[in-house]
Amino acid sequence: MSPTVADMLADARRRFTKGGIADPATDARLLVAGLLKLSSTELLTRSAERLSPEQAEVIFKALDRRLAHEPVHRILGEREFYGLALRLSAETLEPRPDTEILVDTMLPYLRDLAKAEGNLHILDIGTGTGAICLALLSECPDASGIGSDISSDALGTAKSNAERNGLQDRFQAVQSRWFENIQGSFHVIVSNPPYIASNVIHDLAPEVTKFDPVAALDGGPDGLDAYKAIAKDVARFMRPDGFVGLEIGYDQRNDVTAIFEAKGFKCLKSVRDYGQNDRVLVFALA
């Protein structure tokens, strides 16, 4: 007899606990619900329903993938970010909740600019799935945006996510290393760049080292290469009243601030994440 939804959920939780998964109950719930296309409520109200052999097989294979440390949302192929359903691909970083803080931080600046200027232009450097740019566009109907990335795979994913969320008319994907192929000027330039020092990447959890693209993680010997590259040229692409919003590593606030101050910027705001670590910096021309 095939298992019920409840049976499968219990089996997943048991296997994840035995396999040393950090949060077995949450991962079991997310994976089973996601694969069966059930909401959290339906997971309870339909718990006695029996699965088809095909459904059970799909879930058993997914459990094995999670036990090999593949993240839940990579198995599902998508993740929600700021209310948007975003597809993931091999060369995109999985957007994390902490990155939503960058969106939260930049929205008031965008809204103030929209009142004063109307149509806004956003540049998201290293866009990946398009998460940051698309979230800002979804909250600011007066804005259009460019998502740039060196990866054609990532750009294809970002374009797909724009279409999926009805934002394709205001989003453009551009293949570019930093500002090489960027034209125009922007009210807001944002980035969640690679900021992990090269020599510590191998110390990260296997969920990261095995499945996140190294190009989206490796910030060079001191983790600051991306910030130096952005600071070097960003002023040429900013509107005079524009802002730069950056995600940073937990110990990089002073270093990144110094890099931008040396290029004529002032730090307007520093914001911490849910773990009370420095996470976001906002700059404007001094």
Side-chain angles (χ1 to χ4, degrees):
M1 189 178 293
S2 61
T4 64
V5 171
D7 293 336
M8 187 60 78
L9 193 58
D11 185 52
R13 189 164 55 241
R14 186 166 52 247
R15 290 182 65 188
F16 288 170
T17 301
K18 186 177 178 182
I21 298 300
D23 192 349
T26 298
D27 281 12
R29 189 176 69 253
L30 286 172
L31 198 54
V32 172
L35 291 168
L36 295 176
K37 308 293 185 195
L38 298 177
S39 68
S40 298
T41 303
E42 288 171 329
L43 205 58
L44 295 172
T45 59
R46 298 172 62 177
S47 62
E49 289 185 14
R50 295 205 173 274
L51 305 181
S52 69
E54 293 77 17
Q55 287 175 315
E57 180 67 17
V58 165
I59 294 174
F60 284 133
K61 286 181 178 177
L63 299 186
D64 288 339
R65 289 169 66 182
R66 182 67 191 104
L67 287 165
H69 295 287
E70 185 170 354
V72 167
H73 294 287
R74 287 216 180 269
I75 297 169
L76 295 175
E78 64 178 46
R79 178 158 190 165
E80 185 178 294
F81 180 87
Y82 224 85
L84 306 177
L86 302 179
R87 290 193 180 95
L88 308 176
S89 58
E91 293 183 27
T92 59
L93 195 68
E94 181 185 332
R96 267 67 166 189
D98 280 336
T99 300
E100 293 185 344
I101 294 166
L102 177 55
V103 178
D104 286 336
T105 302
M106 299 313 296
L107 279 174
Y109 295 100
L110 272 169
R111 286 172 177 148
D112 285 347
L113 284 167
K115 290 174 190 172
E117 301 199 24
N119 295 330
L120 302 181
H121 298 287
I122 300 167
L123 173 62
D124 178 14
I125 302 169
T127 197
T129 59
I132 298 167
C133 190
L134 296 176
L136 292 171
L137 295 182
S138 73
E139 297 292 324
C140 297
D142 294 325
S144 61
I146 289 176
S148 71
D149 209 288
I150 56 172
S151 164
S152 56
D153 169 89
L155 293 171
T157 303
K159 286 172 69 175
S160 167
N161 284 329
E163 291 164 7
R164 189 179 193 191
N165 290 283
L167 299 166
Q168 67 274 14
D169 293 341
R170 295 190 283 128
F171 179 78
Q172 180 185 1
V174 174
Q175 190 158 19
S176 180
R177 179 172 178 79
W178 309 123
F179 295 98
E180 283 176 5
N181 298 321
I182 302 301
Q183 297 178 338
S185 60
F186 301 88
H187 296 88
V188 167
I189 297 176
V190 289
S191 185
N192 174 19
Y195 55 69
I196 299 168
S198 305
N199 65 347
V200 300
I201 287 176
H202 64 275
D203 295 331
L204 300 174
E207 281 82 355
V208 176
T209 57
K210 288 185 177 182
F211 298 98
D212 277 335
V214 173
L217 301 171
D218 192 340
D222 58 4
L224 299 170
D225 282 5
Y227 302 107
K228 294 169 186 173
I230 293 170
K232 176 174 172 283
D233 291 315
V234 68
R236 294 194 292 116
F237 295 89
M238 285 177 63
R239 299 289 177 96
D241 55 352
F243 302 96
V244 178
L246 302 169
E247 181 168 334
I248 61 169
Y250 72 97
D251 59 352
Q252 294 178 321
R253 183 182 68 175
N254 292 339
D255 288 334
V256 175
T257 298
I259 288 167
F260 275 80
E261 285 179 346
K263 297 295 183 181
F265 287 84
K266 59 184 175 184
C267 184
L268 301 181
K269 195 168 191 179
S270 173
V271 183
R272 293 185 173 184
D273 63 20
Y274 304 116
Q276 294 307 303
N277 294 309
D278 292 319
R279 181 62 60 185
V280 170
L281 296 177
V282 182
F283 295 97
L285 287 165

